[in-house]
Amino acid sequence: KQASDDNAADAAPPSSRKSSQRKKQGAWPTWLWVVGGFALLVSLGRVFSGESGSTKSRKKVASDLSPARFLELALRLQEMTEIAAALASAEELDSDAAKQLDAELKGIEGELGADSSPTSRDLRSMVSVVRGTLYQKSEKLTDEQVEGLEGNSFTYANPRYWDDYYNRTSEEETYDWYGTWDTPIDDKGAFVPRGASAPQAAKVLGDLLRPYLGKERDILMLGCGNSDMSEKMYFEGFEGITNIDVSEKLLANLRARLQDKTPKMRWVYMNASALTFEDQTFDVIIDKGTLDAIEANRPLLLAAVSETHRALRPGGLLLSITFNNRDNRVEKQLREAAWAECQTHSFERPSTTKVGGSEYYLHVCEK
């Protein structure tokens, strides 16, 4: 399940390797970590697990491309993001560089062709985000301007990207960024919840969250996607869950599939940056990848942080599950709101395909 650096180099086109050698890559800009890392996480989850693990679908679609070729294309796509990250760090990600990288992206799209398998669909979607982000950063475009470019171009912060994506997924299909409630984790024996004096065992992701939840508490799932996280939480007794997202098709599918089984759970069409709930509505708000998806658009991100803070009751908790460490997520983003205190827990997913590492974080901020 792990791809070596040698394999990545073999899969990359010569022009890409030359650019990589010319520019040393510093710390990845977070927006490229989101775009590049999840191109592999989403696609390779299907390639290697055969539609199992975090990605599930009962309807399998045959593909003309082999798993090995999907791996090569996914690595090639990540190589494009690594080169862009190096150029961005050196302040050399200009229009000409973006066009050269886009030529490589078009080559990937050409190989995918009309293949209709879920893996091809996801790779094609990720190409659109890499392309859109390249042009947004090189030419200072808005999300809407990116969408208007010639070719398939989006940013993760554009709600229409998600609506378009979910319109092409099946009702039964699920995918979980960073895992779901029962995903195995390794907390290194260092998980000490707020208020506890000694470490507690945390074998699955839900073990990290459970100390901060209550069976009678009102919970908001910020950007639920087609994850099965809320469903699994419901059956563990956390029934007061409201799920929001920006895709009507997605929400309709979730209602049709789950409403009879989870009658107390709600699904509401809403943007995380413009919540329509009254002040102090929720006890807990869970963010699992949503803030990561929109952080390239800082005004949108800060609006979501502000809205999250507003919608929490005094003493309420924001639980943010992310690859962003404390300095990035808490100090540079969440601190824009007046949190009483924030605590950070780190964990790993031992079974995940490692893309730039497998360390993740749970940030707990109290209003």
Side-chain angles (χ1 to χ4, degrees), residues 11-38:
S15 61
S16 300
R17 291 197 293 270
K18 182 177 179 181
S19 298
S20 293
Q21 293 166 359
R22 186 177 68 248
K23 294 295 175 187
K24 296 279 187 180
Q25 181 181 339
W28 275 33
T30 309
W31 54 272
L32 273 170
W33 173 216
V34 174
V35 173
F38 283 102

Side-chain angles (χ1 to χ4, degrees), residues 121-138:
R121 178 203 65 206
D122 288 346
L123 275 172
R124 203 176 287 114
S125 293
M126 296 301 165
V127 165
S128 76
V129 174
V130 173
R131 174 182 292 120
T133 307
L134 283 173
Y135 284 116
Q136 182 178 63
K137 296 301 176 181
S138 64

